[in-house]
Amino acid sequence: MSLIVSLMLFFNGMKSVEALPSLIQKGKASFYSKKFNGRKTAYGERVDAETLAGAHRSFPKNTLVEVTNLDNQRSVIVRINDRGPFAKGRVIDLTHAAARALGMISSGVANVSLRVVGKGNAVALAPIANTFDAPVDYQPMLQPVL
């Protein structure tokens, strides 16, 4: 009986993992396959490949995390909106937009560091704008070479 009471007191005193500002974690990152686009996350949101979001095993929902690709030093801030990754050795799963920003699309997996930068909702939701997608828009700026 005392064992059960001890276990109850132990688990009752445990809090969910709090994201500490500046917490740094290193490991491997991967990204969601496009087939997951539109499916629900563990929190009930829909996966959107064009948002900057990710899945982490212990960070609470809406934690903002700076993810840095250690191979090319590119960084992006993502919002945690899912649980995972469930592949062995991975610390974070990213959306396609976040993986593209980190330059890891071709490799599929990258060595990354994670740094908690805060808690929020709208900061990481803006899609990445590639200014060179529409070169016609920049034609008036070009001067002819004579």
Side-chain angles (χ1 to χ4, degrees):
M1 182 68 162
S2 65
L3 176 65
I4 294 172
V5 172
S6 297
L7 287 173
M8 287 175 56
L9 289 173
F10 175 74
F11 286 113
N12 223 10
M14 291 180 70
K15 296 179 182 175
S16 63
V17 175
E18 295 293 327
L20 302 173
S22 300
L23 175 68
I24 294 181
Q25 182 179 16
K26 291 185 179 182
K28 295 200 179 288
S30 54
F31 60 94
Y32 293 115
S33 168
K34 287 201 175 185
K35 72 178 183 181
F36 290 105
N37 199 27
R39 293 189 185 175
K40 286 189 177 183
T41 67
Y43 293 117
E45 293 182 30
R46 297 276 179 192
V47 174
D48 182 356
E50 294 306 314
T51 61
L52 299 175
H56 194 273
R57 287 188 191 102
S58 56
F59 290 155
K61 181 182 179 185
N62 293 329
T63 300
L64 298 177
V65 179
E66 179 184 36
V67 182
T68 303
N69 184 336
L70 297 176
D71 298 329
N72 61 17
Q73 300 307 310
R74 292 171 75 174
S75 295
V76 66
I77 295 177
V78 300
R79 182 177 65 92
I80 301 300
N81 71 345
D82 198 5
R83 286 280 167 238
F86 299 107
K88 186 176 180 181
R90 309 278 167 83
V91 295
I92 194 166
D93 266 340
L94 301 167
T95 59
H96 202 266
R100 186 172 55 241
L102 291 174
M104 60 177 275
I105 296 292
S106 61
S107 62
V109 178
N111 291 315
V112 297
S113 69
L114 308 179
R115 185 174 67 91
V116 175
V117 294
K119 197 155 172 61
N121 194 16
V123 174
L125 292 177
I128 298 172
N130 187 349
T131 56
F132 297 105
D133 279 345
V136 176
D137 295 340
Y138 297 94
Q139 291 295 329
M141 291 189 273
L142 300 176
Q143 297 295 322
V145 178
L146 300 175

